[in-house]
Amino acid sequence: MKKQAFSVVAFAAAGALMLAAASLPEPAHTEWPMWGGTPDRNMYSSMKGIPSTWEVKSKQNIKWVAELGSQSYGNPVVASGMVFVGTNNEAMYDKEIKGDRGILLAFRETDGQFLWQAVHDKLPQGRANDWPFQGICSSPLVEDGIVYYVSNRGELMAVDAQGFRDGKNNGPYTEEKLTREVDVDIIWRYDMMEELGVLQHNMANSSPVASGDLIFVSTSNGQDESHVNVPSPRAPSIIAVNKKDGTLAWEHNPVGENILHGQWSSPAVAQVGDLVQVVIGQGDGWVRGYDALKGEMLWEFDMNPKDSVWPKTRNEVISTPVIYENVVYVANGQDPEHGEGVGHLYAIDATKRGDITESGRIWHYADIRRSISTGALYDGILFYPDFSGFLHALDIKTGKAFWKHDMFAAIWGSPIVIDGRVYLGDEDGDIAVMAADRTFKLLAENNMASSVYSTPVPANATLFLNNRNQLFAIGDAKSADRSPADPRALLTRWASR
Ligand SMILES: [Ca+2]
Ligand SMILES: [Ca+2]
């Protein structure tokens, strides 16, 4: 009898666990249409069939490789049968366009065929606002056949995923000078420098996220090259723009002159209690939550100890927050050029209001170094890396570490959990594959032949991953026929929308 009762309980517990795992939000269908896959930015997918081993040299489990520019800080997204990634112009897909530019490339998902590109001239003022050769650093959002991203010139762009390949110049914007099949078809653009007086420090990089009719981005407004002055203290930190026509819906500037350096965090969106919130790290090192619809600030949380001093112990927030069941998980850190240092990781109760630095702190994990990464949550475990090369696996309820793994190289990208395994890349170009478990287990290590600053993302049983200068589609090459239809086949569907 006792034994039977136990097995019933065990069965119920297993059922609850399965439900908990199944209830993690994940990308609809089989695409990866934005940074984090879903607006809550949790780096998680239950997708099956992604390999844990591959080899660049012998092409084992490599479906295709596409050349990117010489530096690629954008992260790929996969939607509408295409892969979109930001880079610079060093691959020169269009031989007529020479010199340094910000480039967004669109490839066919099935075979890596180049389809079209968006070209953005560099700003004349150079490194102050648009660092040479860094290209486009924003990871796009693709929704309803429209690609949203932030250019190296501080513009929020909405462009047609089909470009001019659909034979139509989609508007309201129809002033494109180049309208060949390989050119970008702009739908609208919102110039944050022109409209809001934003002066981004070194680079505008925000990865857009949407809720309803609104798109949210960080402006990246920051200090000037003196690293003392904020030349445009009245420019907002975060904006919401109307999807349909690219007009400003709301803006907020809680930081003024208190920007420590730049503003390079990207926003996350999720339902928290009875409101949809947008949550982001801002230039004074605080994380803030907003009513997504109205733009009203709901709460703010100081990520730094009050006695910390910039830049030695006080940090900015570059990581993207992850929202899960009313809780925000985020770490702080600094520009990689500043090297290593102390960091802080928090679980924040986003249902609280006002200054919630004390009231909203669920736990604080201090055994982390500076981090610019986004976390991955799965089965009660938070995987969070730091720039010093450690991956921490924590209990999401207590913030206590299950384990810590040393990658022996700087980590710029983020961990992602796919089908019970954690994938994480490092500056040495290694992708470690580990069990997403309370006990550490290294399953494989795969070298990409060049530094990995990005995060591998899954779509249609394939892993898409870029190192500094190449984009890889990793998967069982024999299963290529399971991939989605050629985008040309989709043209008729779009043409009739
Ligand atoms: Ca078009
Ligand atoms: Ca157009």
Side-chain angles (χ1 to χ4, degrees):
M1 184 66 203
K2 208 174 178 185
K3 200 171 182 181
Q4 191 186 1
F6 173 77
S7 62
V8 168
V9 169
F11 179 76
L17 270 178
M18 280 167 65
L19 274 177
S23 71
L24 269 175
E26 63 176 301
H29 313 296
T30 54
E31 302 184 330
W32 193 265
M34 72 189 84
W35 175 237
T38 45
D40 61 19
R41 307 296 201 182
N42 185 19
M43 298 285 171
Y44 164 75
S45 166
S46 66
M47 189 171 291
K48 308 273 184 238
I50 303 282
S52 56
T53 60
W54 59 87
E55 200 183 82
V56 171
K57 223 177 193 172
S58 70
K59 299 240 162 103
Q60 180 228 337
N61 277 344
I62 307 275
K63 290 165 87 168
W64 53 259
V65 183
E67 296 302 316
L68 302 179
S70 57
Q71 294 177 40
S72 310
Y73 294 102
N75 214 81
V77 298
V78 187
S80 307
M82 286 172 265
V83 186
F84 304 94
V85 64
T87 184
N88 66 25
N89 190 38
E90 296 300 284
M92 281 186 61
Y93 277 95
D94 185 341
K95 300 292 176 229
E96 286 168 35
I97 293 169
K98 297 182 174 73
D100 191 13
R101 316 283 176 121
I103 301 281
L104 181 81
L105 292 170
F107 297 101
R108 187 161 55 202
E109 187 186 342
T110 47
D111 59 3
Q113 169 68 42
F114 164 72
L115 297 174
W116 57 263
Q117 64 175 3
V119 179
H120 297 269
D121 293 348
K122 298 295 279 185
L123 290 167
Q125 58 267 43
R127 51 204 285 165
N129 306 126
D130 186 4
W131 199 271
F133 295 102
Q134 279 194 346
I136 285 173
C137 299
S138 166
S139 187
L141 160 72
V142 187
E143 218 180 75
D144 299 328
I146 300 174
V147 185
Y148 304 91
Y149 65 95
V150 171
S151 78
N152 52 298
R153 299 174 67 90
E155 306 149 295
L156 173 58
M157 304 294 302
V159 308
D160 180 11
Q162 293 295 338
F164 289 109
R165 299 168 64 86
D166 59 356
K168 278 205 309 200
N169 188 341
N170 296 72
Y173 187 92
T174 53
E175 315 299 306
E176 292 92 346
K177 289 192 188 82
L178 297 170
T179 58
R180 303 162 301 171
E181 275 209 337
V182 294
D183 296 317
V184 64
D185 179 1
I186 298 167
I187 292 172
W188 53 255
R189 58 185 277 277
Y190 184 83
D191 188 331
M192 297 189 281
M193 299 186 80
E194 202 175 281
E195 303 286 340
L196 305 165
V198 167
L199 288 167
Q200 61 271 17
H201 185 85
N202 296 355
M203 183 54 70
N205 72 320
S206 190
S207 297
V209 67
S211 176
D213 292 333
L214 300 179
I215 303 277
F216 309 96
V217 282
S218 161
T219 62
S220 296
N221 191 48
Q223 290 182 333
D224 62 16
E225 282 198 289
S226 72
H227 287 96
V228 178
N229 304 315
V230 175
S232 191
R234 293 193 175 163
S237 298
I238 182 171
I239 58 168
V241 172
N242 289 300
K243 237 184 232 173
K244 290 195 179 85
D245 55 7
T247 55
L248 188 70
W250 58 260
E251 59 179 291
H252 195 247
N253 174 12
V255 297
E257 291 179 348
N258 299 327
I259 299 173
L260 296 166
H261 190 198
Q263 302 195 85
W264 298 300
S265 174
S266 285
V269 164
Q271 180 88 28
V272 176
D274 54 1
L275 280 178
V276 176
Q277 286 195 19
V278 49
V279 178
I280 189 166
Q282 293 177 326
D284 54 353
W286 290 59
V287 172
R288 293 186 174 83
Y290 295 86
D291 177 335
L293 196 60
K294 296 177 186 158
E296 181 198 346
M297 192 182 83
L298 303 170
W299 57 266
E300 50 186 344
F301 185 96
D302 189 355
M303 295 285 289
N304 286 294
K306 296 299 179 193
D307 61 355
S308 59
V309 181
W310 170 264
K312 197 163 191 291
T313 52
R314 181 165 290 255
N315 289 336
E316 48 194 323
V317 184
I318 297 173
S319 301
T320 306
V322 173
I323 313 172
Y324 177 65
E325 291 188 339
N326 300 339
V327 180
V328 172
Y329 301 88
V330 62
N332 65 7
Q334 290 187 32
D335 180 341
E337 287 211 346
H338 292 195
E340 300 175 36
V342 294
H344 299 276
L345 168 61
Y346 293 96
I348 304 165
D349 180 352
T351 64
K352 298 284 199 277
R353 295 291 181 265
D355 179 344
I356 64 167
T357 308
E358 294 301 323
S359 65
R361 188 174 62 223
I362 298 171
W363 51 254
H364 169 214
Y365 181 69
D367 193 30
I368 193 166
R369 308 280 290 163
R370 288 175 187 166
S371 175
I372 57 173
S373 304
T374 304
L377 265 148
Y378 170 72
D379 192 24
I381 312 167
L382 171 64
F383 299 94
Y384 217 111
D386 60 39
F387 191 70
S388 294
F390 295 97
L391 174 64
H392 307 256
L394 310 178
D395 184 328
I396 67 164
K397 293 292 178 219
T398 64
K400 299 271 184 286
F402 293 122
W403 49 262
K404 189 164 104 172
H405 172 59
D406 191 353
M407 300 272 287
F408 295 108
I411 298 165
W412 297 57
S414 302
I416 182 164
V417 174
I418 308 168
D419 189 22
R421 296 192 287 257
V422 189
Y423 294 71
L424 177 63
D426 68 21
E427 197 168 33
D428 282 350
D430 290 321
I431 305 287
V433 186
M434 295 154 279
D437 202 347
R438 285 161 177 73
T439 327
F440 175 74
K441 191 179 177 194
L442 183 67
L443 303 173
E445 245 180 355
N446 305 284
N447 192 272
M448 304 309 296
S450 161
S451 293
V452 174
Y453 297 135
S454 65
T455 303
V457 301
N460 299 305
T462 303
L463 195 64
F464 295 89
L465 162 64
N466 66 290
N467 62 15
R468 268 193 323 188
N469 56 317
Q470 286 179 311
L471 173 66
F472 298 85
I474 295 162
D476 183 355
K478 292 192 293 291
S479 72
D481 55 351
R482 281 196 282 133
S483 295
D486 185 298
R488 281 185 181 279
L490 298 169
L491 287 179
T492 42
R493 226 169 70 198
W494 265 304
S496 63
R497 86 183 155 189

